[in-house]
Amino acid sequence: MTQKLDNLQAALQSVLGDKIKTFKRERGEITITVAAAVYAEVARQLRDDPALQFEQMIDLCGMDYSTWQDSGAYEGPRFAVVVHLLSLQHNWRLRLRVYCPDDDLPMVASINEIWNAANWFEREAFDLYGIIFEGHLDLRRILTDYGFIGHPFRKDFPTTGHVEMRYDPEQKRVVYQPVTIEPREITPRIVREDNYGGLH
C-alpha cells in the first residue's frame, strides 16, 4: 500500500506540480485540493495524462463547512465540491477537492464534459447545496420539486423547510404556502429513579 501511494503521490506531483494547493495523505488515501480557476484543467489532466489515467469518476458531492467557520478553527470558504476518482489502469483512487471562492454565489466549473457521470451528481449538488456548475448544459433540480425554495443540505436550512404543500378544496388544486408548523422540542424527557435496578 505504501509503495502504491508513493507512486501515486510522485505521479501527481510530477504532472500537476504547483496546481496542487494542499496535499493530504491520510489513512491510506490521498486528497488534493486545487483552486477553482484550474479545477477543470486539473480534472482533464487527471483523466488524460498517461501517468495518471483516472478514467472513472465514482462520486461528486457538495460540502458545507459553515459549522467549521462558526467554531472559529476554520477561516476558509463555506462551500466545496469533492470528487472521487478511480484509475483502472493503475488501480489508484484519488479525492479531488475544490472550494467555491464566493460564499454568496458558490460556483465552480462543470466537469460534465470530462466525465459524463458528473451530470446528475452536479445537478444533485446544485439542488441540495446551491452550488452552480458553470458550463453545465442542464443544471436544474433533480431531487426536490420545481417549486421548492432553498437548498435543503445547507446547514442553515430550517428543518421544517420554508413552504408546505397542501390540497386546497376551494381551488381544487395543490397549493404552496409558508410553513405553519410550530417548531417543537423533540428531546425525550429522561426520568431518573432513585435506586434504579437496586443500584444506588
mmCIF file of all heavy atoms in Angstrom, residues 104-154:
data_model
loop_
_atom_site.group_PDB
_atom_site.id
_atom_site.type_symbol
_atom_site.label_atom_id
_atom_site.label_comp_id
_atom_site.label_asym_id
_atom_site.label_seq_id
_atom_site.Cartn_x
_atom_site.Cartn_y
_atom_site.Cartn_z
ATOM 1 N N ASP A 104 -21.444 33.659 -1.228
ATOM 2 C CA ASP A 104 -22.796 34.115 -1.573
ATOM 3 C C ASP A 104 -23.278 33.521 -2.892
ATOM 4 O O ASP A 104 -24.485 33.314 -3.076
ATOM 5 C CB ASP A 104 -22.814 35.644 -1.668
ATOM 6 C CG ASP A 104 -22.537 36.285 -0.321
ATOM 7 O OD1 ASP A 104 -22.912 35.678 0.710
ATOM 8 O OD2 ASP A 104 -21.931 37.364 -0.289
ATOM 9 N N LEU A 105 -22.362 33.274 -3.806
ATOM 10 C CA LEU A 105 -22.715 32.666 -5.091
ATOM 11 C C LEU A 105 -21.696 31.560 -5.377
ATOM 12 O O LEU A 105 -20.760 31.745 -6.154
ATOM 13 C CB LEU A 105 -22.719 33.707 -6.208
ATOM 14 C CG LEU A 105 -23.172 33.214 -7.587
ATOM 15 C CD1 LEU A 105 -24.622 32.752 -7.538
ATOM 16 C CD2 LEU A 105 -22.979 34.304 -8.627
ATOM 17 N N PRO A 106 -21.856 30.401 -4.710
ATOM 18 C CA PRO A 106 -20.866 29.331 -4.897
ATOM 19 C C PRO A 106 -20.901 28.791 -6.330
ATOM 20 O O PRO A 106 -21.937 28.330 -6.798
ATOM 21 C CB PRO A 106 -21.292 28.270 -3.879
ATOM 22 C CG PRO A 106 -22.730 28.547 -3.595
ATOM 23 C CD PRO A 106 -22.943 30.016 -3.810
ATOM 24 N N MET A 107 -19.748 28.854 -6.987
ATOM 25 C CA MET A 107 -19.708 28.438 -8.392
ATOM 26 C C MET A 107 -18.337 27.853 -8.718
ATOM 27 O O MET A 107 -17.314 28.394 -8.319
ATOM 28 C CB MET A 107 -19.966 29.646 -9.300
ATOM 29 C CG MET A 107 -20.027 29.293 -10.748
ATOM 30 S SD MET A 107 -20.225 30.700 -11.888
ATOM 31 C CE MET A 107 -21.287 31.795 -11.061
ATOM 32 N N VAL A 108 -18.343 26.743 -9.414
ATOM 33 C CA VAL A 108 -17.119 26.154 -9.971
ATOM 34 C C VAL A 108 -17.450 25.678 -11.381
ATOM 35 O O VAL A 108 -18.611 25.612 -11.779
ATOM 36 C CB VAL A 108 -16.589 24.964 -9.129
ATOM 37 C CG1 VAL A 108 -16.166 25.414 -7.744
ATOM 38 C CG2 VAL A 108 -17.615 23.862 -9.045
ATOM 39 N N ALA A 109 -16.426 25.321 -12.127
ATOM 40 C CA ALA A 109 -16.630 24.832 -13.491
ATOM 41 C C ALA A 109 -17.273 23.451 -13.464
ATOM 42 O O ALA A 109 -17.074 22.669 -12.533
ATOM 43 C CB ALA A 109 -15.289 24.771 -14.212
ATOM 44 N N SER A 110 -18.026 23.155 -14.501
ATOM 45 C CA SER A 110 -18.594 21.820 -14.650
ATOM 46 C C SER A 110 -17.543 20.885 -15.241
ATOM 47 O O SER A 110 -16.766 21.279 -16.108
ATOM 48 C CB SER A 110 -19.811 21.877 -15.587
ATOM 49 O OG SER A 110 -20.244 20.567 -15.886
ATOM 50 N N ILE A 111 -17.526 19.649 -14.753
ATOM 51 C CA ILE A 111 -16.631 18.649 -15.345
ATOM 52 C C ILE A 111 -17.443 17.593 -16.095
ATOM 53 O O ILE A 111 -16.971 16.492 -16.337
ATOM 54 C CB ILE A 111 -15.720 17.999 -14.280
ATOM 55 C CG1 ILE A 111 -16.551 17.378 -13.149
ATOM 56 C CG2 ILE A 111 -14.727 19.009 -13.735
ATOM 57 C CD1 ILE A 111 -15.742 16.536 -12.191
ATOM 58 N N ASN A 112 -18.648 17.965 -16.447
ATOM 59 C CA ASN A 112 -19.536 17.039 -17.158
ATOM 60 C C ASN A 112 -18.963 16.612 -18.503
ATOM 61 O O ASN A 112 -19.151 15.480 -18.932
ATOM 62 C CB ASN A 112 -20.902 17.706 -17.334
ATOM 63 C CG ASN A 112 -21.933 16.782 -17.911
ATOM 64 O OD1 ASN A 112 -21.822 15.569 -17.770
ATOM 65 N ND2 ASN A 112 -22.923 17.342 -18.565
ATOM 66 N N GLU A 113 -18.239 17.505 -19.172
ATOM 67 C CA GLU A 113 -17.657 17.144 -20.474
ATOM 68 C C GLU A 113 -16.461 16.214 -20.316
ATOM 69 O O GLU A 113 -16.065 15.548 -21.263
ATOM 70 C CB GLU A 113 -17.254 18.398 -21.235
ATOM 71 C CG GLU A 113 -18.439 19.204 -21.724
ATOM 72 C CD GLU A 113 -18.004 20.365 -22.595
ATOM 73 O OE1 GLU A 113 -16.807 20.485 -22.876
ATOM 74 O OE2 GLU A 113 -18.886 21.147 -22.971
ATOM 75 N N ILE A 114 -15.881 16.196 -19.130
ATOM 76 C CA ILE A 114 -14.702 15.346 -18.897
ATOM 77 C C ILE A 114 -15.147 13.943 -18.480
ATOM 78 O O ILE A 114 -14.642 12.947 -18.986
ATOM 79 C CB ILE A 114 -13.794 15.993 -17.831
ATOM 80 C CG1 ILE A 114 -13.352 17.372 -18.322
ATOM 81 C CG2 ILE A 114 -12.598 15.103 -17.527
ATOM 82 C CD1 ILE A 114 -12.693 18.233 -17.267
ATOM 83 N N TRP A 115 -16.076 13.902 -17.533
ATOM 84 C CA TRP A 115 -16.673 12.620 -17.133
ATOM 85 C C TRP A 115 -18.190 12.766 -17.238
ATOM 86 O O TRP A 115 -18.796 13.563 -16.509
ATOM 87 C CB TRP A 115 -16.301 12.254 -15.690
ATOM 88 C CG TRP A 115 -14.856 11.931 -15.496
ATOM 89 C CD1 TRP A 115 -14.201 10.803 -15.893
ATOM 90 C CD2 TRP A 115 -13.886 12.747 -14.838
ATOM 91 N NE1 TRP A 115 -12.879 10.874 -15.513
ATOM 92 C CE2 TRP A 115 -12.657 12.041 -14.868
ATOM 93 C CE3 TRP A 115 -13.921 13.995 -14.215
ATOM 94 C CZ2 TRP A 115 -11.492 12.555 -14.311
ATOM 95 C CZ3 TRP A 115 -12.764 14.497 -13.656
ATOM 96 C CH2 TRP A 115 -11.566 13.779 -13.708
ATOM 97 N N ASN A 116 -18.815 12.018 -18.108
ATOM 98 C CA ASN A 116 -20.269 12.101 -18.275
ATOM 99 C C ASN A 116 -21.017 11.771 -16.987
ATOM 100 O O ASN A 116 -22.124 12.249 -16.767
ATOM 101 C CB ASN A 116 -20.731 11.149 -19.379
ATOM 102 C CG ASN A 116 -20.327 11.631 -20.748
ATOM 103 O OD1 ASN A 116 -20.108 12.824 -20.949
ATOM 104 N ND2 ASN A 116 -20.196 10.712 -21.682
ATOM 105 N N ALA A 117 -20.409 10.959 -16.144
ATOM 106 C CA ALA A 117 -21.062 10.572 -14.894
ATOM 107 C C ALA A 117 -21.292 11.768 -13.973
ATOM 108 O O ALA A 117 -22.090 11.688 -13.041
ATOM 109 C CB ALA A 117 -20.220 9.519 -14.170
ATOM 110 N N ALA A 118 -20.610 12.873 -14.222
ATOM 111 C CA ALA A 118 -20.752 14.059 -13.354
ATOM 112 C C ALA A 118 -22.106 14.744 -13.533
ATOM 113 O O ALA A 118 -22.512 15.524 -12.671
ATOM 114 C CB ALA A 118 -19.626 15.045 -13.634
ATOM 115 N N ASN A 119 -22.800 14.458 -14.608
ATOM 116 C CA ASN A 119 -24.031 15.176 -14.954
ATOM 117 C C ASN A 119 -25.028 15.213 -13.794
ATOM 118 O O ASN A 119 -25.349 16.276 -13.270
ATOM 119 C CB ASN A 119 -24.646 14.524 -16.189
ATOM 120 C CG ASN A 119 -25.825 15.315 -16.727
ATOM 121 O OD1 ASN A 119 -26.333 16.217 -16.070
ATOM 122 N ND2 ASN A 119 -26.260 14.978 -17.914
ATOM 123 N N TRP A 120 -25.506 14.086 -13.370
ATOM 124 C CA TRP A 120 -26.544 14.056 -12.328
ATOM 125 C C TRP A 120 -25.969 14.404 -10.958
ATOM 126 O O TRP A 120 -26.663 14.954 -10.113
ATOM 127 C CB TRP A 120 -27.241 12.702 -12.294
ATOM 128 C CG TRP A 120 -28.216 12.512 -13.417
ATOM 129 C CD1 TRP A 120 -28.288 13.264 -14.559
ATOM 130 C CD2 TRP A 120 -29.238 11.545 -13.511
ATOM 131 N NE1 TRP A 120 -29.291 12.798 -15.354
ATOM 132 C CE2 TRP A 120 -29.895 11.750 -14.739
ATOM 133 C CE3 TRP A 120 -29.659 10.515 -12.685
ATOM 134 C CZ2 TRP A 120 -30.958 10.960 -15.152
ATOM 135 C CZ3 TRP A 120 -30.714 9.717 -13.081
ATOM 136 C CH2 TRP A 120 -31.362 9.956 -14.312
ATOM 137 N N PHE A 121 -24.690 14.074 -10.719
ATOM 138 C CA PHE A 121 -24.073 14.441 -9.440
ATOM 139 C C PHE A 121 -23.999 15.955 -9.306
ATOM 140 O O PHE A 121 -24.219 16.504 -8.224
ATOM 141 C CB PHE A 121 -22.674 13.837 -9.326
ATOM 142 C CG PHE A 121 -22.665 12.340 -9.120
ATOM 143 C CD1 PHE A 121 -22.187 11.499 -10.098
ATOM 144 C CD2 PHE A 121 -23.117 11.793 -7.927
ATOM 145 C CE1 PHE A 121 -22.160 10.130 -9.903
ATOM 146 C CE2 PHE A 121 -23.099 10.417 -7.723
ATOM 147 C CZ PHE A 121 -22.622 9.587 -8.725
ATOM 148 N N GLU A 122 -23.668 16.649 -10.382
ATOM 149 C CA GLU A 122 -23.614 18.113 -10.322
ATOM 150 C C GLU A 122 -25.018 18.694 -10.137
ATOM 151 O O GLU A 122 -25.198 19.681 -9.404
ATOM 152 C CB GLU A 122 -22.962 18.673 -11.584
ATOM 153 C CG GLU A 122 -21.467 18.397 -11.643
ATOM 154 C CD GLU A 122 -20.776 18.972 -12.850
ATOM 155 O OE1 GLU A 122 -21.460 19.404 -13.807
ATOM 156 O OE2 GLU A 122 -19.527 18.966 -12.861
ATOM 157 N N ARG A 123 -25.992 18.094 -10.778
ATOM 158 C CA ARG A 123 -27.374 18.552 -10.561
ATOM 159 C C ARG A 123 -27.787 18.339 -9.106
ATOM 160 O O ARG A 123 -28.473 19.175 -8.520
ATOM 161 C CB ARG A 123 -28.324 17.801 -11.495
ATOM 162 C CG ARG A 123 -28.247 18.256 -12.936
ATOM 163 C CD ARG A 123 -29.218 17.506 -13.813
ATOM 164 N NE ARG A 123 -30.597 17.689 -13.372
ATOM 165 C CZ ARG A 123 -31.624 16.972 -13.838
ATOM 166 N NH1 ARG A 123 -31.407 16.053 -14.765
ATOM 167 N NH2 ARG A 123 -32.843 17.188 -13.402
ATOM 168 N N GLU A 124 -27.377 17.235 -8.512
ATOM 169 C CA GLU A 124 -27.696 16.961 -7.118
ATOM 170 C C GLU A 124 -27.033 17.987 -6.198
ATOM 171 O O GLU A 124 -27.667 18.511 -5.276
ATOM 172 C CB GLU A 124 -27.227 15.553 -6.763
ATOM 173 C CG GLU A 124 -27.539 15.149 -5.344
ATOM 174 C CD GLU A 124 -26.992 13.775 -5.033
ATOM 175 O OE1 GLU A 124 -25.765 13.657 -4.854
ATOM 176 O OE2 GLU A 124 -27.771 12.830 -4.970
ATOM 177 N N ALA A 125 -25.750 18.282 -6.442
ATOM 178 C CA ALA A 125 -25.042 19.269 -5.612
ATOM 179 C C ALA A 125 -25.669 20.653 -5.774
ATOM 180 O O ALA A 125 -25.747 21.421 -4.818
ATOM 181 C CB ALA A 125 -23.564 19.302 -5.972
ATOM 182 N N PHE A 126 -26.138 20.958 -6.979
ATOM 183 C CA PHE A 126 -26.839 22.229 -7.191
ATOM 184 C C PHE A 126 -28.157 22.250 -6.421
ATOM 185 O O PHE A 126 -28.483 23.222 -5.737
ATOM 186 C CB PHE A 126 -27.098 22.433 -8.690
ATOM 187 C CG PHE A 126 -28.119 23.486 -8.970
ATOM 188 C CD1 PHE A 126 -27.851 24.822 -8.755
ATOM 189 C CD2 PHE A 126 -29.393 23.131 -9.419
ATOM 190 C CE1 PHE A 126 -28.810 25.797 -8.994
ATOM 191 C CE2 PHE A 126 -30.354 24.092 -9.655
ATOM 192 C CZ PHE A 126 -30.065 25.429 -9.437
ATOM 193 N N ASP A 127 -28.890 21.181 -6.514
ATOM 194 C CA ASP A 127 -30.200 21.110 -5.861
ATOM 195 C C ASP A 127 -30.075 21.188 -4.340
ATOM 196 O O ASP A 127 -30.786 21.944 -3.683
ATOM 197 C CB ASP A 127 -30.884 19.804 -6.274
ATOM 198 C CG ASP A 127 -32.345 19.740 -5.860
ATOM 199 O OD1 ASP A 127 -32.850 20.731 -5.312
ATOM 200 O OD2 ASP A 127 -32.971 18.694 -6.092
ATOM 201 N N LEU A 128 -29.145 20.434 -3.770
ATOM 202 C CA LEU A 128 -29.072 20.312 -2.318
ATOM 203 C C LEU A 128 -28.236 21.393 -1.650
ATOM 204 O O LEU A 128 -28.483 21.755 -0.504
ATOM 205 C CB LEU A 128 -28.533 18.928 -1.953
ATOM 206 C CG LEU A 128 -29.373 17.753 -2.479
ATOM 207 C CD1 LEU A 128 -28.735 16.430 -2.088
ATOM 208 C CD2 LEU A 128 -30.803 17.834 -1.973
ATOM 209 N N TYR A 129 -27.218 21.921 -2.355
ATOM 210 C CA TYR A 129 -26.332 22.923 -1.749
ATOM 211 C C TYR A 129 -26.387 24.280 -2.452
ATOM 212 O O TYR A 129 -25.863 25.251 -1.933
ATOM 213 C CB TYR A 129 -24.877 22.434 -1.763
ATOM 214 C CG TYR A 129 -24.625 21.285 -0.838
ATOM 215 C CD1 TYR A 129 -24.679 19.976 -1.301
ATOM 216 C CD2 TYR A 129 -24.332 21.493 0.506
ATOM 217 C CE1 TYR A 129 -24.449 18.898 -0.452
ATOM 218 C CE2 TYR A 129 -24.099 20.433 1.354
ATOM 219 C CZ TYR A 129 -24.157 19.139 0.876
ATOM 220 O OH TYR A 129 -23.935 18.086 1.711
ATOM 221 N N GLY A 130 -26.936 24.337 -3.637
ATOM 222 C CA GLY A 130 -26.968 25.595 -4.372
ATOM 223 C C GLY A 130 -25.659 25.922 -5.058
ATOM 224 O O GLY A 130 -25.422 27.077 -5.419
ATOM 225 N N ILE A 131 -24.804 24.945 -5.256
ATOM 226 C CA ILE A 131 -23.536 25.169 -5.947
ATOM 227 C C ILE A 131 -23.795 25.178 -7.455
ATOM 228 O O ILE A 131 -24.404 24.248 -8.002
ATOM 229 C CB ILE A 131 -22.506 24.080 -5.589
ATOM 230 C CG1 ILE A 131 -22.208 24.124 -4.091
ATOM 231 C CG2 ILE A 131 -21.232 24.245 -6.404
ATOM 232 C CD1 ILE A 131 -21.386 22.966 -3.584
ATOM 233 N N ILE A 132 -23.365 26.234 -8.114
ATOM 234 C CA ILE A 132 -23.583 26.383 -9.555
ATOM 235 C C ILE A 132 -22.378 25.830 -10.308
ATOM 236 O O ILE A 132 -21.239 26.144 -9.964
ATOM 237 C CB ILE A 132 -23.821 27.856 -9.909
ATOM 238 C CG1 ILE A 132 -25.086 28.347 -9.212
ATOM 239 C CG2 ILE A 132 -23.896 28.052 -11.410
ATOM 240 C CD1 ILE A 132 -25.279 29.835 -9.265
ATOM 241 N N PHE A 133 -22.653 25.010 -11.311
ATOM 242 C CA PHE A 133 -21.589 24.427 -12.116
ATOM 243 C C PHE A 133 -21.594 25.113 -13.477
ATOM 244 O O PHE A 133 -22.456 24.836 -14.324
ATOM 245 C CB PHE A 133 -21.782 22.909 -12.237
ATOM 246 C CG PHE A 133 -21.585 22.206 -10.932
ATOM 247 C CD1 PHE A 133 -22.627 22.033 -10.046
ATOM 248 C CD2 PHE A 133 -20.325 21.765 -10.551
ATOM 249 C CE1 PHE A 133 -22.448 21.420 -8.823
ATOM 250 C CE2 PHE A 133 -20.126 21.146 -9.331
ATOM 251 C CZ PHE A 133 -21.191 20.972 -8.463
ATOM 252 N N GLU A 134 -20.656 26.008 -13.642
ATOM 253 C CA GLU A 134 -20.587 26.826 -14.844
ATOM 254 C C GLU A 134 -20.292 25.947 -16.065
ATOM 255 O O GLU A 134 -19.336 25.167 -16.053
ATOM 256 C CB GLU A 134 -19.490 27.877 -14.681
ATOM 257 C CG GLU A 134 -19.494 28.930 -15.745
ATOM 258 C CD GLU A 134 -18.476 30.013 -15.446
ATOM 259 O OE1 GLU A 134 -17.613 29.806 -14.582
ATOM 260 O OE2 GLU A 134 -18.565 31.065 -16.097
ATOM 261 N N GLY A 135 -21.130 26.042 -17.068
ATOM 262 C CA GLY A 135 -20.949 25.255 -18.284
ATOM 263 C C GLY A 135 -21.811 24.001 -18.328
ATOM 264 O O GLY A 135 -21.859 23.322 -19.354
ATOM 265 N N HIS A 136 -22.501 23.684 -17.237
ATOM 266 C CA HIS A 136 -23.393 22.518 -17.249
ATOM 267 C C HIS A 136 -24.593 22.846 -18.137
ATOM 268 O O HIS A 136 -25.200 23.909 -18.006
ATOM 269 C CB HIS A 136 -23.860 22.203 -15.826
ATOM 270 C CG HIS A 136 -24.495 20.857 -15.696
ATOM 271 N ND1 HIS A 136 -25.739 20.570 -16.218
ATOM 272 C CD2 HIS A 136 -24.064 19.723 -15.107
ATOM 273 C CE1 HIS A 136 -26.040 19.312 -15.951
ATOM 274 N NE2 HIS A 136 -25.042 18.777 -15.282
ATOM 275 N N LEU A 137 -24.938 21.954 -19.036
ATOM 276 C CA LEU A 137 -25.961 22.250 -20.036
ATOM 277 C C LEU A 137 -27.389 22.081 -19.528
ATOM 278 O O LEU A 137 -28.328 22.548 -20.174
ATOM 279 C CB LEU A 137 -25.740 21.369 -21.276
ATOM 280 C CG LEU A 137 -24.404 21.599 -21.988
ATOM 281 C CD1 LEU A 137 -24.252 20.634 -23.153
ATOM 282 C CD2 LEU A 137 -24.256 23.039 -22.449
ATOM 283 N N ASP A 138 -27.586 21.411 -18.415
ATOM 284 C CA ASP A 138 -28.945 21.144 -17.942
ATOM 285 C C ASP A 138 -28.988 21.208 -16.414
ATOM 286 O O ASP A 138 -29.384 20.260 -15.756
ATOM 287 C CB ASP A 138 -29.392 19.765 -18.437
ATOM 288 C CG ASP A 138 -30.849 19.506 -18.135
ATOM 289 O OD1 ASP A 138 -31.606 20.476 -17.958
ATOM 290 O OD2 ASP A 138 -31.236 18.327 -18.056
ATOM 291 N N LEU A 139 -28.561 22.335 -15.862
ATOM 292 C CA LEU A 139 -28.464 22.450 -14.409
ATOM 293 C C LEU A 139 -29.822 22.829 -13.827
ATOM 294 O O LEU A 139 -30.181 23.996 -13.721
ATOM 295 C CB LEU A 139 -27.414 23.506 -14.040
ATOM 296 C CG LEU A 139 -26.937 23.481 -12.595
ATOM 297 C CD1 LEU A 139 -26.266 22.152 -12.257
ATOM 298 C CD2 LEU A 139 -25.975 24.626 -12.337
ATOM 299 N N ARG A 140 -30.609 21.824 -13.488
ATOM 300 C CA ARG A 140 -31.913 22.037 -12.851
ATOM 301 C C ARG A 140 -32.053 21.033 -11.717
ATOM 302 O O ARG A 140 -31.285 20.083 -11.610
ATOM 303 C CB ARG A 140 -33.054 21.887 -13.861
ATOM 304 C CG ARG A 140 -33.072 20.553 -14.552
ATOM 305 C CD ARG A 140 -34.071 20.554 -15.706
ATOM 306 N NE ARG A 140 -33.794 19.447 -16.592
ATOM 307 C CZ ARG A 140 -34.469 18.301 -16.603
ATOM 308 N NH1 ARG A 140 -35.483 18.126 -15.784
ATOM 309 N NH2 ARG A 140 -34.151 17.331 -17.428
ATOM 310 N N ARG A 141 -33.056 21.278 -10.882
ATOM 311 C CA ARG A 141 -33.245 20.423 -9.707
ATOM 312 C C ARG A 141 -33.444 18.967 -10.136
ATOM 313 O O ARG A 141 -34.046 18.692 -11.174
ATOM 314 C CB ARG A 141 -34.427 20.908 -8.896
ATOM 315 C CG ARG A 141 -34.171 22.257 -8.223
ATOM 316 C CD ARG A 141 -35.299 22.592 -7.277
ATOM 317 N NE ARG A 141 -35.105 23.869 -6.632
ATOM 318 C CZ ARG A 141 -34.401 24.029 -5.516
ATOM 319 N NH1 ARG A 141 -33.843 22.993 -4.934
ATOM 320 N NH2 ARG A 141 -34.269 25.227 -4.969
ATOM 321 N N ILE A 142 -32.976 18.056 -9.253
ATOM 322 C CA ILE A 142 -33.097 16.640 -9.590
ATOM 323 C C ILE A 142 -33.797 15.843 -8.487
ATOM 324 O O ILE A 142 -34.416 14.820 -8.761
ATOM 325 C CB ILE A 142 -31.701 16.032 -9.895
ATOM 326 C CG1 ILE A 142 -31.819 14.635 -10.489
ATOM 327 C CG2 ILE A 142 -30.813 16.036 -8.663
ATOM 328 C CD1 ILE A 142 -30.527 14.091 -11.055
ATOM 329 N N LEU A 143 -33.722 16.298 -7.219
ATOM 330 C CA LEU A 143 -34.326 15.546 -6.121
ATOM 331 C C LEU A 143 -35.527 16.261 -5.516
ATOM 332 O O LEU A 143 -36.464 15.615 -5.067
ATOM 333 C CB LEU A 143 -33.283 15.278 -5.027
ATOM 334 C CG LEU A 143 -32.132 14.372 -5.454
ATOM 335 C CD1 LEU A 143 -31.093 14.266 -4.355
ATOM 336 C CD2 LEU A 143 -32.641 12.988 -5.806
ATOM 337 N N THR A 144 -35.497 17.578 -5.447
ATOM 338 C CA THR A 144 -36.646 18.312 -4.923
ATOM 339 C C THR A 144 -37.532 18.720 -6.099
ATOM 340 O O THR A 144 -37.106 18.654 -7.251
ATOM 341 C CB THR A 144 -36.194 19.570 -4.157
ATOM 342 O OG1 THR A 144 -35.446 20.396 -5.043
ATOM 343 C CG2 THR A 144 -35.343 19.188 -2.961
ATOM 344 N N ASP A 145 -38.756 19.160 -5.802
ATOM 345 C CA ASP A 145 -39.636 19.517 -6.910
ATOM 346 C C ASP A 145 -39.320 20.923 -7.416
ATOM 347 O O ASP A 145 -38.572 21.672 -6.796
ATOM 348 C CB ASP A 145 -41.106 19.352 -6.537
ATOM 349 C CG ASP A 145 -41.534 20.307 -5.442
ATOM 350 O OD1 ASP A 145 -40.851 21.308 -5.233
ATOM 351 O OD2 ASP A 145 -42.574 20.041 -4.810
ATOM 352 N N TYR A 146 -39.904 21.284 -8.530
ATOM 353 C CA TYR A 146 -39.531 22.526 -9.196
ATOM 354 C C TYR A 146 -39.963 23.756 -8.411
ATOM 355 O O TYR A 146 -39.415 24.822 -8.586
ATOM 356 C CB TYR A 146 -40.098 22.565 -10.611
ATOM 357 C CG TYR A 146 -39.558 21.447 -11.468
ATOM 358 C CD1 TYR A 146 -40.391 20.499 -12.030
ATOM 359 C CD2 TYR A 146 -38.195 21.335 -11.678
ATOM 360 C CE1 TYR A 146 -39.878 19.460 -12.791
ATOM 361 C CE2 TYR A 146 -37.671 20.298 -12.423
ATOM 362 C CZ TYR A 146 -38.517 19.367 -12.983
ATOM 363 O OH TYR A 146 -38.007 18.348 -13.728
ATOM 364 N N GLY A 147 -40.957 23.639 -7.539
ATOM 365 C CA GLY A 147 -41.386 24.773 -6.742
ATOM 366 C C GLY A 147 -40.656 24.899 -5.419
ATOM 367 O O GLY A 147 -40.963 25.780 -4.623
ATOM 368 N N PHE A 148 -39.709 24.015 -5.174
ATOM 369 C CA PHE A 148 -39.007 24.006 -3.894
ATOM 370 C C PHE A 148 -38.175 25.277 -3.740
ATOM 371 O O PHE A 148 -37.540 25.744 -4.683
ATOM 372 C CB PHE A 148 -38.092 22.781 -3.812
ATOM 373 C CG PHE A 148 -37.613 22.480 -2.431
ATOM 374 C CD1 PHE A 148 -38.370 21.722 -1.563
ATOM 375 C CD2 PHE A 148 -36.400 22.972 -1.997
ATOM 376 C CE1 PHE A 148 -37.929 21.442 -0.284
ATOM 377 C CE2 PHE A 148 -35.948 22.695 -0.716
ATOM 378 C CZ PHE A 148 -36.715 21.933 0.135
ATOM 379 N N ILE A 149 -38.185 25.824 -2.527
ATOM 380 C CA ILE A 149 -37.425 27.043 -2.250
ATOM 381 C C ILE A 149 -36.271 26.696 -1.332
ATOM 382 O O ILE A 149 -36.450 26.095 -0.275
ATOM 383 C CB ILE A 149 -38.325 28.114 -1.588
ATOM 384 C CG1 ILE A 149 -39.433 28.510 -2.553
ATOM 385 C CG2 ILE A 149 -37.495 29.322 -1.178
ATOM 386 C CD1 ILE A 149 -40.470 29.428 -1.942
ATOM 387 N N GLY A 150 -35.066 27.076 -1.733
ATOM 388 C CA GLY A 150 -33.877 26.849 -0.909
ATOM 389 C C GLY A 150 -33.140 25.579 -1.282
ATOM 390 O O GLY A 150 -33.486 24.895 -2.249
ATOM 391 N N HIS A 151 -32.111 25.287 -0.494
ATOM 392 C CA HIS A 151 -31.267 24.128 -0.745
ATOM 393 C C HIS A 151 -31.147 23.349 0.568
ATOM 394 O O HIS A 151 -30.475 23.794 1.508
ATOM 395 C CB HIS A 151 -29.905 24.588 -1.260
ATOM 396 C CG HIS A 151 -30.025 25.447 -2.483
ATOM 397 N ND1 HIS A 151 -30.301 24.913 -3.722
ATOM 398 C CD2 HIS A 151 -29.996 26.788 -2.647
ATOM 399 C CE1 HIS A 151 -30.392 25.895 -4.611
ATOM 400 N NE2 HIS A 151 -30.206 27.047 -3.989
ATOM 401 N N PRO A 152 -31.806 22.200 0.663
ATOM 402 C CA PRO A 152 -32.015 21.547 1.963
ATOM 403 C C PRO A 152 -30.784 20.980 2.654
ATOM 404 O O PRO A 152 -30.861 20.687 3.841
ATOM 405 C CB PRO A 152 -33.014 20.434 1.631
ATOM 406 C CG PRO A 152 -32.886 20.206 0.177
ATOM 407 C CD PRO A 152 -32.489 21.511 -0.419
ATOM 408 N N PHE A 153 -29.653 20.808 1.983
ATOM 409 C CA PHE A 153 -28.468 20.280 2.675
ATOM 410 C C PHE A 153 -27.571 21.386 3.220
ATOM 411 O O PHE A 153 -26.563 21.103 3.858
ATOM 412 C CB PHE A 153 -27.666 19.362 1.761
ATOM 413 C CG PHE A 153 -28.169 17.944 1.746
ATOM 414 C CD1 PHE A 153 -29.456 17.631 2.156
ATOM 415 C CD2 PHE A 153 -27.360 16.906 1.325
ATOM 416 C CE1 PHE A 153 -29.920 16.329 2.136
ATOM 417 C CE2 PHE A 153 -27.806 15.599 1.312
ATOM 418 C CZ PHE A 153 -29.083 15.308 1.715
ATOM 419 N N ARG A 154 -27.939 22.646 2.986
ATOM 420 C CA ARG A 154 -27.184 23.724 3.615
ATOM 421 C C ARG A 154 -27.470 23.682 5.105
ATOM 422 O O ARG A 154 -28.613 23.466 5.526
ATOM 423 C CB ARG A 154 -27.590 25.077 3.037
ATOM 424 C CG ARG A 154 -27.072 25.296 1.643
ATOM 425 C CD ARG A 154 -27.350 26.701 1.180
ATOM 426 N NE ARG A 154 -26.736 26.932 -0.120
ATOM 427 C CZ ARG A 154 -26.647 28.120 -0.688
ATOM 428 N NH1 ARG A 154 -27.150 29.185 -0.079
ATOM 429 N NH2 ARG A 154 -26.062 28.252 -1.858
#
